[in-house]
Amino acid sequence: MTEQEKVPAIRFAGFTDPWEQRKLGDIAERVTRKNENNESDLPLTISAQHGLIDQRLFFNAQVASRDMSGYYLLRQGEFAYNKSTSADSPWGAIKRLTRYEKGCVSTLYICFALLNANPDYLVTYYETNRWHKAVQMIAAEGARNHGLLNIAPDDFFDTMVSLPESQAEQQTIGAFFSRLDSLITLHQRKYDKLVIFKKSMLEKMFPKDGESVPEIRFAGFTDPWEQRKLGELSSEFQSGDFISAEEILGSGPYPVYGGNGLRGYAKQYNHDGFYALIGRQGALCGNVNTAVGKAYFTEHAVAVKANFLHDTRFLAHLLGCMDLGRYSGQSAQPGLAVGVLKEVETTVPSKAEQQAIGSFFSRLDSLITLHQRKLELLQNIKKSLLDKMFV
């Protein structure tokens, strides 16, 4: 490794020394303590996204045996390596126990405690792909048992870890990513809360089956909702048009919507305005999306626009609450017939109340999208920095 290769592309000011390669066994010691006398009754599993987490929460069931005295006992601050591979973790996942004081892990895991490296730095290091090559070199070729890598503990502790010589630089990097993770978690929680709030309001602002008024209404609206067929609410209610796969592009002036939402882009459009789109074929038939402006709708999407007595934004949310997939034909390839959908009955309020409801949910959707974009931006920033701040 050249001197230039021994430093990352981005560093904090004040740090100039080259990084070093150390064996994991030089900075950590293996943990093999058993859960004697069942000191802990908390079964843990490793999730690439959530880290070391209660197995009962993650799987909604306990996979570990009731008697966990033969399991390893992991204490807070210690690490565990799950050799099981997945799409997110092609060489397994290494995580630190932070959520709980202690817990039990399978003896298939390789556990260790740090001796003289910054734990926050190492947590972040194992989120990069810098350690994959070292593990790849020691994994017995072709020796995977149901996605479990065949890696001996002694070989694992011989793998090289790249880190700054300076403990201060390790601490600075670790603290930076710890704060960034906290910010990402904060935005994730805000986003999740808004999604849950929307789901709750959809349940309460539309009447339940057999009822003529919803649980929650805006002030000033007291009249009962009236029963109507979907076809009676719409000025347009028809499938889109065929478009060949060759005509669907990776980018272009007009979005193309199919039965499951955005498919790509095209050079032509066949609709202009705000529409509710019902997926009419496949396992997700009955799902509802929206499109605004000039766009191309394929034959797998039913385009719906309200007539002058009703509101399309309201109609989009109403359709989304109706479980339209239950009206699909019973065949190997489920499908919704436009004629059947137009005859489905529902209840609607006055146009003024429809507009109030549609406007409320449109603003809520904008807020959810805003937080989703902030979250994705932070996640992309982290991904880029993980690539540039490590050797």
Side-chain angles (χ1 to χ4, degrees):
M1 184 179 286
T2 66
E3 289 299 312
Q4 187 174 6
E5 290 173 327
K6 289 182 181 178
V7 296
I10 295 177
R11 297 182 84 174
F12 287 101
F15 300 109
T16 56
D17 293 337
W19 285 29
E20 60 180 353
Q21 297 280 320
R22 300 278 300 277
K23 285 185 178 181
L24 178 60
D26 292 339
I27 62 172
E29 62 180 356
R30 189 179 179 195
V31 171
T32 58
R33 80 173 72 85
K34 292 295 182 69
N35 184 38
E36 294 179 358
N37 302 317
N38 285 306
E39 179 180 338
S40 173
D41 62 354
L42 177 63
L44 298 173
T45 192
I46 287 183
S47 156
Q49 182 179 359
H50 302 292
L52 278 153
I53 189 169
D54 186 341
Q55 193 180 87
R56 296 163 298 192
L57 293 176
F58 188 72
F59 294 113
N60 201 28
Q62 180 162 330
V63 180
S65 60
R66 293 293 177 185
D67 178 9
M68 295 188 290
S69 58
Y71 283 59
Y72 288 145
L73 177 65
L74 203 65
R75 299 198 185 279
Q76 191 173 69
E78 295 175 340
F79 290 74
Y81 173 36
N82 180 2
K83 296 177 285 183
S84 296
T85 62
S86 66
D88 293 332
S89 306
W91 296 101
I94 301 172
K95 300 294 180 180
R96 181 181 177 217
L97 182 59
T98 57
R99 280 187 176 85
Y100 318 102
E101 181 183 344
K102 56 189 174 182
C104 305
V105 297
S106 165
T107 52
L108 292 173
Y109 288 8
I110 300 176
C111 306
F112 60 93
L114 289 187
L115 297 172
N116 56 3
N118 182 270
D120 287 335
Y121 169 83
L122 208 66
V123 165
T124 310
Y125 175 78
Y126 281 122
E127 289 188 38
T128 73
N129 61 5
R130 298 298 194 269
W131 59 280
H132 289 180
K133 185 175 181 180
V135 170
Q136 186 177 3
M137 290 172 64
I138 62 171
E141 187 174 354
R144 293 181 184 229
N145 182 16
H146 301 293
L148 188 68
L149 295 171
N150 185 8
I151 295 176
D154 288 346
D155 291 337
F156 177 69
F157 283 100
D158 279 340
T159 59
M160 305 302 288
V161 176
S162 174
L163 72 170
E165 292 182 14
S166 164
Q167 282 275 350
E169 187 172 6
Q170 291 180 34
Q171 183 177 1
T172 302
I173 293 170
F176 170 77
F177 279 99
S178 179
R179 291 193 297 270
L180 182 57
D181 283 339
S182 295
L183 190 59
I184 289 172
T185 299
L186 176 65
H187 281 279
Q188 181 71 60
R189 286 174 180 166
K190 286 182 178 179
Y191 171 77
D192 291 343
K193 284 181 179 179
L194 285 170
V195 171
I196 292 170
F197 174 70
K198 179 185 175 181
K199 181 180 178 182
S200 175
M201 294 307 288
L202 283 170
E203 291 174 354
K204 295 181 178 181
M205 293 185 71
F206 290 87
K208 293 180 173 60
D209 288 343
E211 298 183 6
S212 61
V213 293
E215 184 178 339
I216 294 178
R217 300 182 80 173
F218 289 106
F221 299 109
T222 57
D223 293 338
W225 290 29
E226 297 180 351
Q227 197 166 42
R228 292 286 186 275
K229 292 180 180 180
L230 291 180
E232 296 172 345
L233 307 177
S234 314
S235 61
E236 292 185 50
F237 203 118
Q238 60 186 10
S239 299
D241 304 313
F242 172 79
I243 184 172
S244 67
E246 292 75 19
E247 294 177 278
I248 300 177
L249 312 172
S251 61
Y254 307 113
V256 177
Y257 292 94
N260 297 326
L262 184 66
R263 284 190 57 191
Y265 298 85
K267 295 179 179 179
Q268 73 270 25
Y269 67 93
N270 58 2
H271 289 78
D272 186 7
F274 184 87
Y275 284 85
L277 300 176
I278 306 170
R280 61 177 297 266
Q281 279 193 327
L284 296 179
C285 71
N287 77 91
V288 178
N289 292 285
T290 58
V292 61
K294 294 181 173 67
Y296 196 100
F297 304 155
T298 76
E299 76 277 19
H300 297 304
V302 179
V304 182
K305 177 178 276 192
N307 58 33
F308 72 97
L309 294 174
H310 303 282
D311 181 77
T312 305
R313 294 182 189 277
F314 165 84
L315 195 52
H317 292 292
L318 174 67
L319 293 170
C321 295
M322 292 180 63
D323 186 21
L324 295 173
R326 57 184 163 161
Y327 300 106
S328 63
Q330 300 302 313
S331 63
Q333 177 75 353
L336 288 167
V338 172
V340 171
L341 288 175
K342 292 173 75 172
E343 292 298 312
V344 173
E345 293 187 339
T346 187
T347 54
V348 293
S350 66
K351 185 175 182 179
E353 189 171 0
Q354 290 181 35
Q355 290 172 329
I357 294 171
S359 177
F360 168 78
F361 281 107
S362 291
R363 291 195 300 270
L364 186 55
D365 283 340
S366 296
L367 190 59
I368 290 172
T369 300
L370 175 65
H371 280 284
Q372 184 178 24
R373 286 175 179 166
K374 284 183 178 179
L375 179 61
E376 290 171 350
L377 176 62
L378 287 169
Q379 290 170 333
N380 288 335
I381 288 173
K382 179 181 177 181
K383 182 179 179 181
S384 176
L385 291 176
L386 284 173
D387 185 55
K388 294 179 180 178
M389 292 181 68
F390 290 84
V391 174

